[in-house]
């Protein structure tokens, strides 16, 4: 394994990708401020716990599950089914989910599903309209793409908030397309994201389960793309915890963590990947104020943008927590450069 020091290869939400949310962020940020000035590690731990309790008690309605929308079971595919076969079957399943939601008086969900269908042009490798829902959507021609990027979102990304996640994927694809036509972006909502204000957002339990889904998906994805395609992972907020737990070996060339609360690892070299590990944070992102500590199973430890973590830095400009993939931003330019294999301007030359 390679050593993941700054300037070397690491081993181991986005304009539209939801991350750990504002209410929880405010609580934790306030706690971080109160923990400064000689309070010591014990006071910081107490602050983290106090913030958790406040989030769970003061904002319980935010984490409450909405009524379940009726939907058909997801389509199952034979091993080796082509992307085109999957797209067609999942469009039919999505249309049926929209019809069932409408008949079940879930008009909001039905309208959102019809939007996702994109007038019959959507390309879903996977779709499940039950509960919060799951969806894996491709933007671009996957079979001919030699640059393939997988976006992994953070908390509170569901079928009901999917449009903002999709917007980030579209913006990235358009930016890549302008410079490299044979590129594809995959929006991977392939796990049950934690609630923004909930105890689950402060532990790795959901991330561990998601990593078990993401790793085999990446293997299948490589076989669907053009031979020798370069595969990258862009991981937003809680999605960075997912990526940090995903075993990729050498299949992934680059892994970018942004808006990250931490990964649970103390260094990039500890991640189960042969990818180059990058980290960036915008100056407007509140997650900078979250205490980067671990207390038992709570918290995610070392800040990925801390030089001690050993990730390669990239410039994220003034991005707020949900702004990283907005068109025209410095963060989008940096992430596109990572995907395309060009050096982001913020990275110093390596010896």
């Amino acid at each position: 394994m390679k050593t993941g020091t700054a300037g070397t290869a690491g081993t181991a939400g986005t304009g539209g990708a939801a991350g750990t949310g504002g209410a929880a962020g405010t609580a934790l940020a306030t706690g971080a401020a109160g923990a400064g000035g000689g309070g010591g590690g014990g006071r910081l731990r107490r602050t983290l716990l106090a913030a958790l309790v406040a989030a769970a008690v003061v904002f319980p309605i935010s984490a409450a599950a909405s009524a379940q929308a009726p939907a058909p079971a997801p389509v199952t595919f034979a091993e080796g089914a082509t992307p085109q076969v999957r797209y067609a079957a999942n469009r039919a399943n999505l249309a049926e989910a929209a019809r069932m939601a409408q008949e079940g008086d879930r008009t909001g969900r039905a309208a959102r599903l019809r939007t996702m269908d994109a007038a019959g042009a959507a390309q879903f490798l996977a779709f499940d309209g039950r509960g919060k829902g799951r969806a894996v959507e491709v933007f671009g021609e996957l079979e001919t793409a030699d640059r393939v990027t997988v976006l992994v979102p953070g908390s509170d990304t569901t079928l009901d908030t999917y449009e903002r996640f999709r917007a980030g994927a579209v913006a990235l694809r358009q930016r890549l397309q302008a410079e490299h036509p044979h590129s594809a972006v995959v929006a991977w909502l392939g796990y049950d994201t934690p609630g923004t204000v909930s105890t689950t957002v402060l532990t790795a339990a959901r991330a561990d389960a998601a990593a078990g889904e993401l790793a085999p998906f990446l293997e299948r994805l490589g076989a669907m793309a053009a031979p020798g395609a370069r595969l990258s992972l862009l991981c937003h907020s809680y999605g960075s915890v997912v990526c940090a737990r995903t075993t990729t070996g050498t299949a992934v060339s680059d892994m970018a963590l942004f808006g990250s609360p931490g990964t649970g690892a103390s260094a990039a070299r500890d991640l189960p990947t042969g990818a180059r590990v990058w980290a960036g944070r915008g100056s407007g992102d509140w997650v900078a104020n979250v205490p980067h500590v671990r207390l038992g199973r709570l918290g995610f430890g070392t800040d990925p943008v801390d030089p001690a973590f050993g990730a390669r830095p990239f410039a994220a400009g003034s991005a707020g927590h949900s702004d990283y993939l907005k068109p025209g931003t410095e963060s989008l330019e940096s992430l596109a450069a990572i995907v395309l294999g060009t050096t982001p301007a913020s990275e110093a030359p390596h010896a």
Side-chain angles (χ1 to χ4, degrees), residues 79 150 212-225 231 246-249 251-252:
E79 191 67 29
V150 178
E213 300 280 350
L214 181 57
F217 170 76
L218 294 174
E219 292 183 12
R220 295 192 298 271
L221 186 65
M224 294 179 190
L231 183 61
T246 301
T247 300
T248 71
V252 174

Side-chain angles (χ1 to χ4, degrees), residues 51-130:
L52 171 62
V53 172
V57 174
V58 178
F59 305 106
I61 192 169
S62 299
S66 60
Q68 297 294 306
V75 180
T76 57
F77 297 96
E79 191 67 29
T82 66
Q84 297 303 324
V85 168
R86 293 170 184 268
Y87 298 159
N90 284 317
R91 279 195 296 267
N93 188 276
L94 192 157
E96 177 63 9
R99 185 193 66 78
M100 292 175 66
Q102 187 72 42
E103 290 187 351
D105 201 28
R106 292 297 305 276
T107 56
R109 169 65 70 90
R112 283 184 281 272
L113 293 177
R114 287 193 291 269
T115 298
M116 288 175 64
D117 183 55
Q123 300 183 144
F124 287 98
L125 288 174
F127 174 79
D128 185 351
R130 300 171 301 178

Side-chain angles (χ1 to χ4, degrees), residues 12-264:
T14 66
T20 47
T26 300
L28 288 172
T30 301
R43 186 176 180 186
L44 190 59
R45 292 187 196 84
R46 290 193 298 273
T47 298
L48 180 62
L49 288 176
L52 171 62
V53 172
V57 174
V58 178
F59 305 106
I61 192 169
S62 299
S66 60
Q68 297 294 306
V75 180
T76 57
F77 297 96
E79 191 67 29
T82 66
Q84 297 303 324
V85 168
R86 293 170 184 268
Y87 298 159
N90 284 317
R91 279 195 296 267
N93 188 276
L94 192 157
E96 177 63 9
R99 185 193 66 78
M100 292 175 66
Q102 187 72 42
E103 290 187 351
D105 201 28
R106 292 297 305 276
T107 56
R109 169 65 70 90
R112 283 184 281 272
L113 293 177
R114 287 193 291 269
T115 298
M116 288 175 64
D117 183 55
Q123 300 183 144
F124 287 98
L125 288 174
F127 174 79
D128 185 351
R130 300 171 301 178
K132 290 183 176 181
R134 297 188 183 191
V136 179
E137 186 172 9
V138 177
F139 302 89
E141 300 300 324
L142 182 58
E143 296 100 323
T144 60
D146 58 15
R147 295 290 185 276
V148 179
T149 306
V150 178
L151 295 181
V152 181
S155 65
D156 272 344
T157 307
T158 68
L159 294 187
D160 292 318
T161 62
Y162 185 76
E163 189 56 33
R164 61 187 181 186
F165 180 41
R166 173 184 256 178
V170 169
L172 177 62
R173 171 72 197 324
Q174 290 174 341
R175 173 61 186 83
L176 296 174
Q177 181 81 0
E179 190 168 340
H180 191 87
H182 294 294
S183 59
V185 174
V186 180
W188 189 80
L189 176 54
Y191 77 110
D192 294 327
T193 63
T196 292
V197 183
S198 68
T199 56
T200 54
V201 82
L202 294 181
T203 77
R206 295 287 179 93
D208 289 334
E213 300 280 350
L214 181 57
F217 170 76
L218 294 174
E219 292 183 12
R220 295 192 298 271
L221 186 65
M224 294 179 190
R230 178 190 180 99
L231 183 61
S232 303
L233 271 176
L234 303 189
C235 317
H236 177 245
S237 196
Y238 190 88
S240 67
V241 187
V242 174
C243 291
R245 283 166 159 68
T246 301
T247 300
T248 71
T250 58
V252 174
S253 62
D254 293 271
M255 178 187 296
L257 315 175
F258 50 104
S260 176
T263 66

Side-chain angles (χ1 to χ4, degrees), residues 246-310:
T246 301
T247 300
T248 71
T250 58
V252 174
S253 62
D254 293 271
M255 178 187 296
L257 315 175
F258 50 104
S260 176
T263 66
S266 59
R269 63 175 175 270
D270 298 329
L271 306 185
T273 182
R276 291 177 294 187
V277 179
W278 303 79
R281 178 177 300 132
S283 61
D285 192 342
W286 57 257
V287 85
N289 296 319
V290 172
H292 292 281
V293 297
R294 292 193 72 182
L295 179 60
R297 300 177 66 179
L298 296 178
F300 302 110
T302 307
D303 188 344
V305 300
D306 187 328
F309 185 75

